[in-house]
């Protein structure tokens, strides 16, 4: 349906995750399971870090906040995606689309700098252990988290405002959620200003935080190579390597998505890439960052034991 201007319609049509109708139910079951598992894993982390006094340290403070962020991040896109998989009319209201884009960009931008803050935390713990509690004070941790949310909010406000002031000639979004690239494809006018803004602002957010993260992991790697005990080196390297894999999935897919001209957008390909940083990365994060940690495993075991004892009483 061709639309004359933005005041002539009140909703968008979402193409969804797949155009093959026979796959809709299967995809719903698969991604519903992933969504529930992601929520349960992150809620468990929040509960453990809150109830375990021995986990009241900067590292777990960041992990608890990161888990809360992940719950919000995955919930900004997946519930609507699940509903469109089973719906006959895959629509989202104009206001709903605007709101979804704002929260997705806010949470995504916040996650970029939260990952950088967590890498900085690990750098101080491994490379400057004697100064760790001084450098990562409660106030500093709060400032890093608050700063991450501020950067995410500014990033989201700029892109959402610029995107939704464009006149749209069509209302079918060839994607499973409202994102910048598919909406730019619907614009009736030249979008070079939007593309330059995405490149500059998103470049500052994504690439800037990525560089900070890489610097921290680079220094950690250098410190690991100086560890004499092979067992200690292997354990620390394994932990940081797994962290780095998740970082590369999140940043790599995000950079690929937003750092291309509009003419090179391929929405079928981009939907697959978007799944990586909107669904797969949030699923992997709690298991990579937290559940492989021996302290968390011990705290989870104690919590389960307490629940069992309480039920018996």
């Amino acid at each position: 349906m061709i639309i004359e201007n933005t005041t002539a319609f009140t909703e968008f049509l979402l193409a969804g995750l797949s155009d093959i109708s026979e796959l809709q139910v299967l995809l719903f079951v698969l991604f519903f399971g992933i969504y529930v598992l992601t929520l349960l894993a992150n809620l468990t982390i929040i509960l453990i870090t809150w109830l375990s006094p021995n986990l009241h340290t900067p590292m777990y403070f960041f992990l608890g906040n990161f888990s809360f962020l992940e719950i919000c991040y995955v919930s900004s896109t997946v519930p609507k995606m699940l509903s469109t998989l089973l719906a006959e009319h895959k629509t989202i209201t104009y206001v709903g689309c605007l709101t979804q884009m704002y929260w997705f960009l806010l949470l995504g931008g916040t996650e970029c700098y939260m990952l950088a803050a967590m890498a900085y935390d690990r750098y101080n713990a491994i490379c400057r252990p004697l100064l760790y509690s001084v450098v990562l004070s409660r106030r500093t941790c709060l400032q890093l988290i608050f700063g991450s949310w501020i950067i995410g909010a500014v990033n989201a406000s700029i892109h959402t405002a610029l995107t939704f002031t464009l006149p749209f000639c069509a209302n079918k979004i060839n994607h499973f959620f409202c994102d910048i690239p598919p909406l730019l494809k619907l614009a009736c006018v030249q979008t070079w200003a939007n593309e330059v803004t995405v490149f500059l602002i998103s470049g500052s957010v994504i690439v800037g935080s990525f560089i900070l993260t890489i610097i921290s992991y680079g220094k950690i790697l250098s410190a690991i190579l100086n560890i004499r005990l092979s067992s200690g080196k292997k354990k620390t390297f394994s932990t940081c390597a797994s962290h780095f894999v998740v970082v590369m999935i999140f940043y790599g897919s995000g950079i690929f998505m937003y750092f291309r001209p509009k003419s090179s957008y391929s929405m079928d390909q981009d939907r697959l890439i978007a799944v990586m940083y909107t669904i797969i990365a949030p699923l992997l994060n709690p298991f990579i960052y937290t559940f492989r940690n021996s302290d968390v495993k011990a705290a989870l075991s104690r919590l389960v034991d307490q629940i069992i004892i309480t039920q018996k009483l």
Side-chain angles (χ1 to χ4, degrees), residues 161-176:
L162 285 176
T163 301
F164 280 89
T165 53
L166 292 171
F168 298 114
C169 290
N171 70 335
K172 183 175 182 179
I173 302 174
N174 192 15
H175 211 341
F176 62 88

Side-chain angles (χ1 to χ4, degrees), residues 251-266:
Y251 281 109
S253 54
I255 290 172
F256 178 82
M257 189 72 175
Y258 295 105
F259 286 80
R260 293 173 297 151
K262 186 177 71 171
S263 58
S264 67
Y265 293 161
S266 173

Side-chain angles (χ1 to χ4, degrees), residues 101 158-166 168 179-180 183-184 194:
M101 174 184 280
I158 292 172
H159 290 307
T160 304
L162 285 176
T163 301
F164 280 89
T165 53
L166 292 171
F168 298 114
D179 199 5
I180 299 172
L183 279 166
L184 293 184
N194 297 72

Side-chain angles (χ1 to χ4, degrees), residues 112-296:
C112 287
Y113 278 91
M114 192 78 78
L115 286 170
M118 291 165 63
Y120 179 66
D121 168 76
R122 291 299 81 209
Y123 156 70
N124 281 283
I126 295 172
C127 301
R128 301 196 296 175
L130 297 179
L131 297 175
Y132 180 63
S133 59
V134 177
V135 175
L136 270 299
S137 64
R138 183 77 172 181
R139 180 179 180 182
T140 301
C141 293
L142 288 171
Q143 288 174 339
L144 289 171
I145 290 174
F146 184 71
S148 299
W149 281 95
I150 291 295
I151 292 171
V154 172
N155 175 64
S157 298
I158 292 172
H159 290 307
T160 304
L162 285 176
T163 301
F164 280 89
T165 53
L166 292 171
F168 298 114
C169 290
N171 70 335
K172 183 175 182 179
I173 302 174
N174 192 15
H175 211 341
F176 62 88
F177 71 98
C178 294
D179 199 5
I180 299 172
L183 279 166
L184 293 184
K185 294 282 286 186
L186 305 182
C188 299
V189 296
Q190 292 292 327
T191 59
W192 62 268
N194 297 72
E195 294 178 60
V196 170
T197 303
V198 168
F199 184 82
L200 294 177
I201 303 298
S202 295
S204 299
V205 173
I206 299 176
V207 177
S209 60
F210 180 63
I211 290 173
L212 292 175
T213 304
I214 292 297
I215 290 173
S216 294
Y217 279 114
K219 291 182 178 293
I220 290 172
L221 178 61
S222 177
I224 290 173
L225 295 176
N226 292 325
I227 297 176
R228 293 184 179 181
L229 296 176
S230 59
S231 59
K233 180 187 294 187
K234 182 178 179 180
K235 180 180 178 181
T236 309
F237 180 79
S238 175
T239 300
C240 291
S242 58
H243 290 188
F244 191 70
V245 167
V246 176
V247 166
M248 290 304 297
I249 290 174
F250 180 77
Y251 281 109
S253 54
I255 290 172
F256 178 82
M257 189 72 175
Y258 295 105
F259 286 80
R260 293 173 297 151
K262 186 177 71 171
S263 58
S264 67
Y265 293 161
S266 173
M267 287 306 151
D268 291 334
Q269 182 185 50
D270 289 351
R271 279 184 283 190
L272 178 60
I273 298 297
V275 167
M276 296 299 294
Y277 63 84
T278 59
I279 302 174
I280 303 302
L283 172 65
L284 295 177
N285 284 339
F287 297 97
I288 296 296
Y289 278 99
T290 310
F291 288 127
R292 297 174 73 248
N293 186 289
S294 58
D295 293 333
V296 172

Side-chain angles (χ1 to χ4, degrees), residues 86-103:
L86 300 182
E88 182 178 353
H89 301 289
K90 306 177 188 297
T91 62
I92 184 171
T93 65
Y94 183 88
V95 174
C97 187
L98 184 153
T99 303
Q100 184 183 59
M101 174 184 280
Y102 175 80
W103 280 104

